[in-house]
């Protein structure tokens, strides 16, 4: 498989909540050799994803941290998978990689809907339906059957959906990580949510593309657990990445100011992720 075959589709890049028709964080990484990898799954992402394919066609899902604007559409995605298990008579489990402690958060959230108490009757609907019925009969939550949940710790490196995934501790929530995806020497960095930290410079050194957050844009004062667009640009410059996509800006009307600030700090090309089309790395 050649290095040029890596592609990125931005499904959503809004920060905090979906605004102006833009979904929250969700990035689809594709290769010719594997089913695509979904990175983060915020509100609005499932609608975008399922407009172009089926949930069971995913290779895996990787989540940066458990804030709602990065995970809430896992619920919709799980319901789509459960439905496809019945309608498509499949029982393909989708690997779901959560940061440390993420499984417990997801279990608490799913418990709200009482999936383990659902009753599937004995009607013959194929192997997927039968598997769901067996799970419910065993008093287990089918969400953890359609997803194959695994956890990773900051610093872990793992392989999934054709990518090598490197992680490093973010400065955001205790479990949050920044991520870097490598396929055949093509490297795509994604800061997810984090304050600026010098440790990211080497982590993203020479990346072909860096998706960096600039939440504290426009009239929002710098500080808190995020970067400014200027800091995103500084990180891109220090890491000597080839291209920068600004994501998770606070409001769409901040876009021009965010681009200007990032471009003042980074000599390479900068775009807003929410306006980016499919990108070949
Ligand atoms: Zn966050």
């Amino acid at each position: 498989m050649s290095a040029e075959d890596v592609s990125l589709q931005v499904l959503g890049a809004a920060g905090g909540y979906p605004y102006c028709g833009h979904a929250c964080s969700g990035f689809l990484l594709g290769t010719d050799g594997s089913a695509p990898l979904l990175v983060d799954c915020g509100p609005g992402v499932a609608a975008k994803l399922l407009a172009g394919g089926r949930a069971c066609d995913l290779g895996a899902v990787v989540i940066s941290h458990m804030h709602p604007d990065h995970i809430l559409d896992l619920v919709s995605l799980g319901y789509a998978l459960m439905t496809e298990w019945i309608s498509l008579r499949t029982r393909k489990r989708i690997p779901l990689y959560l940061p440390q402690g993420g499984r417990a958060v997801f279990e608490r959230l799913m418990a709200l809907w009482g999936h383990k108490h659902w009753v599937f009757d004995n009607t013959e609907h194929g192997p997927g339906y039968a598997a769901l019925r067996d799970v419910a009969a065993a008093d287990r939550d089918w969400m953890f059957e359609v997803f194959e949940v695994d956890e990773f710790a900051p610093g872990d490196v793992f392989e999934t959906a054709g990518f090598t995934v490197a992680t490093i501790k973010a400065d955001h929530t205790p479990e949050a990580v920044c991520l870097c995806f490598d396929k055949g020497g093509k490297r795509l960095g994604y800061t997810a949510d984090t304050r600026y930290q010098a440790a990211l410079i080497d982590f993203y050194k020479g990346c072909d593309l860096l998706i960096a957050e600039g939440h504290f844009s426009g009239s929002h004062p710098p500080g808190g657990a995020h970067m400014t667009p200027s800091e995103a640009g500084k990180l891109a410059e220090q890491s000597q990445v080839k291209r920068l996509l600004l994501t998770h800006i606070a409001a769409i009307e901040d876009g021009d100011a965010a681009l200007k600030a990032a471009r003042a700090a980074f000599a390479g090309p900068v775009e807003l992720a929410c306006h980016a089309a499919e990108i070949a790395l």
Side-chain angles (χ1 to χ4, degrees), residues 27-48:
F27 303 91
L28 197 62
L29 311 190
T31 73
D32 279 354
S34 304
L37 171 62
L38 176 64
V39 182
D40 280 346
C41 194
V45 168
K48 301 274 177 148

Side-chain angles (χ1 to χ4, degrees), residues 89-101:
R89 304 172 76 87
T90 181
R91 52 178 304 174
K92 183 187 170 191
R93 305 184 75 195
I94 303 300
L96 170 60
Y97 294 88
L98 301 177
Q100 242 172 7

Side-chain angles (χ1 to χ4, degrees), residues 64-70 172-173 176 192-194 213 225-226 248:
S64 64
H65 66 297
M66 300 303 288
H67 272 165
D69 56 330
H70 293 253
H172 186 66
T173 60
D193 293 6
T194 184
E213 70 121 306
H226 290 282
H248 210 289

